[in-house]
């Protein structure tokens, strides 16, 4: 069981470039999400998905796009990178709680993105 | 809107001393509260959740609905407890948005 796998681990972009952060999980989790971690800001939810074909916005969705075509994969796309998107990005997944909610999240190792 | 406040960015204690990491939340319903921990060069992972009422690595946390708090406590800190700790709130139901606090960096000195 690899758990949650994110690629790449490090990336440097120029302003205006686009890229995709990949996230895959092999635990058959229905719920997947993307967070960004910034110093002094904690983790902030970007987008999430409760199953294949279903996505929704989190707290800070602007400038990011997601899709969920399979249960396993949940890529995060930066459409036109800006320096404000310099951050560490975490993908997380869970079974999703039986009474609703997220349940215990399992995290990837993180992807450190720098936008120049 | 739900909100989680961790008032201390940094907390430094000596080995063997008690430690308490504070967490206050704002939510009108019945939330589920979590503590997540990130050790150096490791993934974020769940430390404990209030519904399980377990003690993990000597840590406990009690949900106080009257004070809207979920403080994390350990009677005798160890050097390996040094890490970043995040409190998180899940409002449950169809709102699949786990809200994190800004985190507290705990350093346990020898």
């Amino acid at each position: 069981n690899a758990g949650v796998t994110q690629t790449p681990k490090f990336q440097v972009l120029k302003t205006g470039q686009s890229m995709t952060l990949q996230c895959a999980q092999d635990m058959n989790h229905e719920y997947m999400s993307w967070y960004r971690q910034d110093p002094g800001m904690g983790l902030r939810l970007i987008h999430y998905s409760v199953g294949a074909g279903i996505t929704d916005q989190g707290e800070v969705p602007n400038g990011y796009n997601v899709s969920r075509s399979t249960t396993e994969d949940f890529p995060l796309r930066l459409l036109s990178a800006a320096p404000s998107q310099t951050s560490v990005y975490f993908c997380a997944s869970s079974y999703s709680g039986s009474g609703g909610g997220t349940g215990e999240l399992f995290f990837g190792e993180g992807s450190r993105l720098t936008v120049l | 809107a739900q909100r989680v406040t961790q008032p201390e960015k940094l907390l430094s204690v000596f080995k063997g001393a008690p430690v308490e990491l504070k967490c206050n939340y704002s939510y009108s319903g019945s939330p589920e509260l979590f503590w997540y921990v990130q050790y150096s060069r490791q993934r974020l992972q769940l430390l404990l959740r209030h519904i399980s009422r377990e003690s993990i690595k000597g840590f406990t946390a009690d949900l106080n609905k009257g004070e809207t708090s979920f403080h994390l406590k350990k009677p005798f800190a160890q050097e390996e407890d040094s890490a970043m700790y995040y409190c998180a709130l899940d409002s449950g139901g169809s709102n699949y948005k786990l809200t994190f606090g800004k985190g507290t960096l705990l350093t346990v000195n020898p």
Side-chain angles (χ1 to χ4, degrees), chain B residues 28-44:
Chain B
S28 56
S30 294
E32 183 171 4
L33 276 297
F34 302 81
W35 277 99
Y36 282 84
V37 61
Q38 188 174 27
Y39 300 103
S40 179
R41 291 184 289 278
Q42 292 189 29
R43 300 179 188 223
L44 265 158

Side-chain angles (χ1 to χ4, degrees), chain A residues 4 31 35 37 101-102 105 107, chain B residues 36 43 86 90 93 96 98:
Chain A
V4 179
Y31 180 86
Y35 285 86
Q37 183 185 46
T102 59
L105 288 182
F107 283 86
Chain B
Y36 282 84
R43 300 179 188 223
Y86 291 99
D90 184 351
Y96 295 90
L98 189 65

